[in-house]
Amino acid sequence: MSKQQRNDMCACGSGKKYKNCCMRKDEARAQLSKQSFDVREVIGPKTTPYMFWKRWSTACSRNEFGLVYDMLLPGGELAQRFSSAEDFFANLNEIGLPFEDRWVLDVMRLSGTTVSFLCHRVDSDDNNADVVCSLMTMQITDMGLRVENIERKVCKRGDDFALVMDSFGTQTALGALTKKIKSGWKRPDLGDESSKFVAPEE
């Protein structure tokens, strides 16, 4: 049987063109069959969050999306949305995966067994362009870090723009300080006599 072309009617009998039906899943199977690494060889219990980011980024940049899928937390929100590696691969545009060659890791946060990465995408030199940012939430498991979910937002850039986790609904001290500064608050000048600490008299 000859290889199906993009504009052929799909062989599955759906009545749709191949490009709008099974093409992405067939591409996914072909790509995933080339996977040469087991996730346990790449991510272990002693892998630090920063090294996880580096290895995640490397796997994404090499199109090793089977390996990336194996870095997801079983039963986590992202894994539940895409029940197989093929489904995950076929819907990459919907996910908007962050990875290093186009993404900058801005903030890393550890809270209990949860690790969060806040990052943004670098698309152009236009300082007025909207900022595409993602919040990756991971859980520390016996196997090492696994990605529970990825939230993506487009933030309007302005003179007072600041990329903080509060943009995703997480209350942080940095977010509170940023909000305070935006409202006009200024830190007292440490050289000002009125701001100096005076010890109480005994």
Side-chain angles (χ1 to χ4, degrees):
M1 181 178 175
S2 61
K3 185 178 178 180
Q4 287 194 90
Q5 301 300 309
R6 290 173 54 84
N7 290 313
D8 292 345
M9 298 306 289
C10 191
C12 75
S14 66
K16 298 178 182 179
K17 288 187 177 181
Y18 180 54
K19 66 182 179 183
N20 296 324
C21 193
C22 293
M23 187 176 80
R24 285 293 291 161
K25 288 192 175 181
D26 287 347
E27 289 175 346
R29 291 188 193 98
Q31 184 67 41
L32 295 170
S33 68
K34 300 175 185 177
Q35 181 171 326
S36 57
F37 292 103
D38 186 294
V39 68
R40 291 168 294 184
E41 299 172 327
V42 179
I43 304 295
K46 294 184 179 179
T47 303
T48 64
Y50 180 71
M51 285 309 300
F52 181 93
W53 168 257
K54 297 287 285 185
R55 291 170 185 177
W56 166 277
S57 301
T58 299
C60 288
S61 63
R62 292 178 178 171
N63 295 326
E64 296 173 342
F65 292 111
L67 178 58
V68 174
Y69 181 78
D70 290 339
M71 291 184 190
L72 303 186
L73 179 70
E77 290 184 53
L78 201 54
Q80 287 183 339
R81 279 171 58 197
F82 306 103
S83 58
S84 68
E86 289 87 353
D87 191 25
F88 178 78
F89 183 97
N91 291 282
L92 288 176
N93 290 338
E94 176 188 334
I95 305 165
L97 293 180
F99 59 95
E100 199 173 35
D101 63 349
R102 291 184 64 200
W103 290 78
V104 174
L105 177 58
D106 297 280
V107 181
M108 209 180 324
R109 184 170 184 256
L110 175 63
S111 177
T113 60
T114 301
V115 178
S116 301
F117 289 163
L118 178 64
C119 46
H120 78 279
R121 191 172 72 193
V122 179
D123 284 323
S124 69
D125 295 327
D126 183 359
N127 291 329
N128 295 314
D130 292 342
V131 181
V132 180
C133 47
S134 284
L135 181 66
M136 287 177 63
T137 305
M138 290 151 287
Q139 294 297 325
I140 300 172
T141 74
D142 293 340
M143 303 173 291
L145 285 167
R146 292 294 185 270
V147 178
E148 181 175 25
N149 197 22
I150 298 174
E151 297 177 69
R152 188 182 181 201
K153 282 192 175 183
V154 177
C155 303
K156 294 292 182 183
R157 189 195 295 273
D159 293 337
D160 60 349
F161 172 77
L163 186 59
V164 291
M165 288 193 176
D166 298 59
S167 303
F168 289 87
T170 302
Q171 301 298 313
T172 64
L174 177 59
L177 177 61
T178 302
K179 187 175 181 181
K180 196 172 178 181
I181 291 171
K182 284 181 181 180
S183 68
W185 177 85
K186 292 183 180 179
R187 191 184 75 172
D189 185 348
L190 295 180
D192 188 340
E193 292 293 328
S194 63
S195 67
K196 290 184 177 179
F197 173 75
V198 178
E201 293 182 5
E202 294 184 359

